[in-house]
Amino acid sequence: MFSGKCMSSARLDGKISIVTGANTGIGKVTAKQFYALGAKVILACRDVGKAEQAVSDILAEVKGDGLGQLVVEELDLASFASVKRCAKNILQKEKQIHLLVNNAGVMACPKGKTQDGFETQFGVNHLGHFLFTSLLLPRIRNSTPARIVNVSSRAHTRGSINFEDINYDRNYSAMAAYSQSKLANVLFSRELARRLEGTEVHVYSLHPGIVSTELTRTVDQVYFPGIWLLGRIILFPWVKTPEQGAQTTLHCSIDEKAGEETGLYYSDCKAIEPSALAKDTELAKKLWEKSVEMVGLKDYDMFNCREDTLLELLKDA
């Protein structure tokens, strides 16, 4: 009753797609549907074993004609070195990239840092995807029409970008850090869409809903044992299955009308208004510049870089 549904009948024959975190939850459902629609799907996942099991599951569940391909690539978004290796591997193997779904994420983690020293949720949910997208962008721009879909959350409405303590070294709050990372997803999408205006690369951010997935696996550690179960009981009418939670991702990825839109925020398969901060153009620009600095891309022009130059930059990855 509370879940939108992707109604598009579009096919993805011959398209190359990438889904991060595709071994479980809505990422796995997304990969499965892309495969059924004829796309070659790259499952970019931290745990290769789980990703290969997901491939086996999908192959066992989806039968028929017109199916695509499933490929696994290792991607640990908590490591810039891993992000660069994954991007390099994909760029060396794929001549085009038509669809990038930045789906992987962590939520309500105990205080921690990525391999590069950034707060875990901001590092994984935003910086890892920012770097990954930036490195793949020249190839995506040469594969138009193309789409970039960033899975955010309604939690962005409670977020702010704490430039004075972006890693929450002082007064760490798991949910405040999570909300900051999800606001960063929406701001990144908005600014990327602005910078790509007129290129036929369209960008989307979305709220999938309250979905029963592994995303909440650390909530009990942060608060108290049983809090997620209690929350599921209270929120039961609104909790979605992974299949329901993937619908807005699918809508943004394949729907024909959505293909005419860019830079918008979606929930239940329709564009809605994000928070006021998420629409702040100057904040989006400031976050963009900060992100470029944090991931070490100050000398890289992702919008005008030649592909051979990019591969040269990644030669040591």
Side-chain angles (χ1 to χ4, degrees):
M1 179 170 64
F2 298 106
S3 180
K5 183 173 178 58
C6 176
M7 303 304 292
S8 174
S9 58
R11 295 278 305 173
L12 293 174
D13 299 292
K15 301 296 185 182
I16 309 299
S17 63
I18 303 169
V19 183
T20 70
N23 61 286
T24 188
I26 63 177
K28 183 178 177 181
V29 174
T30 300
K32 177 180 176 180
Q33 187 62 21
F34 287 174
Y35 169 70
L37 294 173
K40 180 175 183 179
V41 189
I42 300 169
L43 292 80
C45 304
R46 180 177 58 84
D47 191 318
V48 171
K50 289 183 178 180
E52 290 174 343
Q53 181 60 54
V55 168
S56 297
D57 294 343
I58 293 170
L59 291 175
E61 294 166 9
V62 183
K63 305 294 183 181
D65 299 324
L67 303 178
Q69 296 175 260
L70 297 167
V71 177
V72 172
E73 290 287 352
E74 183 178 5
L75 171 65
D76 182 355
L77 290 161
S79 164
F80 291 165
S82 175
V83 172
K84 291 175 181 177
R85 282 195 301 272
C86 183
K88 178 183 177 181
N89 289 340
I90 292 172
L91 291 170
Q92 288 178 331
K93 297 173 185 177
E94 306 299 338
K95 299 302 181 184
Q96 293 188 305
I97 301 170
H98 303 98
L99 185 53
L100 170 61
V101 178
N102 290 318
N103 163 82
V106 291
M107 173 184 170
C109 301
K111 186 175 182 179
K113 295 288 181 68
T114 66
Q115 291 185 25
D116 303 281
F118 301 107
E119 188 277 316
T120 300
Q121 294 175 96
F122 190 76
V124 170
N125 297 346
H126 172 59
L127 292 177
H129 280 129
F130 182 92
L131 177 60
F132 192 52
T133 303
S134 299
L135 295 175
L136 297 177
L137 195 59
R139 187 65 50 84
I140 295 172
R141 288 193 62 186
N142 288 334
S143 308
T144 55
R147 304 190 196 190
I148 299 170
V149 180
N150 295 316
V151 178
S152 179
S153 168
R154 181 182 173 84
H156 88 273
T157 63
R158 300 187 295 274
S160 60
I161 306 299
N162 185 3
F163 287 105
E164 299 304 314
D165 186 22
I166 207 159
N167 287 309
Y168 277 90
D169 292 318
R170 306 184 299 273
N171 301 318
Y172 178 75
S173 163
M175 285 309 299
Y178 177 69
S179 297
Q180 174 179 251
S181 74
K182 295 290 99 178
L183 174 59
N185 291 155
V186 184
L187 289 167
F188 169 47
S189 302
R190 183 180 181 87
E191 181 64 8
L192 181 60
R194 186 186 70 81
R195 292 173 182 247
L196 287 170
E197 188 174 359
T199 65
E200 289 192 274
V201 179
H202 291 192
V203 187
Y204 311 80
S205 62
L206 65 96
H207 169 55
I210 305 170
V211 188
S212 180
T213 69
E214 294 181 10
L215 182 66
T216 55
R217 60 187 174 272
T218 60
V219 172
D220 284 8
Q221 298 176 40
V222 172
Y223 296 101
F224 58 84
I227 187 173
W228 174 233
L229 177 60
L230 177 62
R232 286 191 64 183
I233 293 171
I234 295 171
L235 298 171
F236 175 75
W238 294 274
V239 175
K240 298 181 180 182
T241 65
E243 288 72 19
Q244 292 169 328
Q247 294 304 305
T248 303
T249 299
L250 295 171
H251 173 82
C252 293
S253 299
I254 66 175
D255 184 80
E256 296 88 344
K257 181 177 181 297
E260 300 172 358
E261 303 165 343
T262 190
L264 302 181
Y265 172 76
Y266 296 76
S267 178
D268 285 324
C269 300
K270 59 181 181 293
I272 66 170
E273 287 295 308
S275 70
L277 282 179
K279 296 186 289 185
D280 187 328
T281 301
E282 292 306 312
L283 179 62
K285 291 178 181 177
K286 184 176 180 181
L287 175 64
W288 182 281
E289 296 303 325
K290 181 67 174 177
S291 302
V292 166
E293 175 188 330
M294 294 175 84
V295 302
L297 291 183
K298 295 182 76 172
D299 297 323
Y300 166 61
D301 183 353
M302 69 186 77
F303 299 99
N304 297 294
C305 181
R306 287 166 49 96
E307 293 199 5
D308 55 350
T309 302
L310 174 57
L311 287 173
E312 179 66 21
L313 289 172
L314 292 172
K315 67 179 181 180
D316 297 323

